[in-house]
Amino acid sequence: MVTMQAAVVTFVRSHTVGTLHLLGFTNIAEGTRWARDDSARQFTVLGLTE
């Protein structure tokens, strides 16, 4: 049986990879570094900016 925490981590990871692919990243490590380096990008991608 999979714990709820493991299921949530898997869900978030899967959607993160999918979003990076939609943004045009083919290298996931490069995409996560891009998002990590400027936290404002994360909010912009999610549409959470004014």
Side-chain angles (χ1 to χ4, degrees):
M1 178 182 254
V2 176
T3 65
M4 181 60 77
Q5 182 179 7
V8 170
V9 169
T10 302
F11 172 84
V12 170
R13 183 180 298 129
S14 174
H15 282 74
T16 300
V17 170
T19 301
L20 290 171
H21 279 288
L22 288 173
L23 291 171
F25 288 98
T26 55
N27 183 323
I28 299 307
E30 179 184 334
T32 55
R33 283 190 299 270
W34 172 83
R36 177 201 65 200
D37 291 343
D38 183 2
S39 61
R41 292 177 183 158
Q42 300 165 22
F43 295 111
T44 301
V45 167
L46 294 172
L48 299 175
T49 58
E50 295 181 39

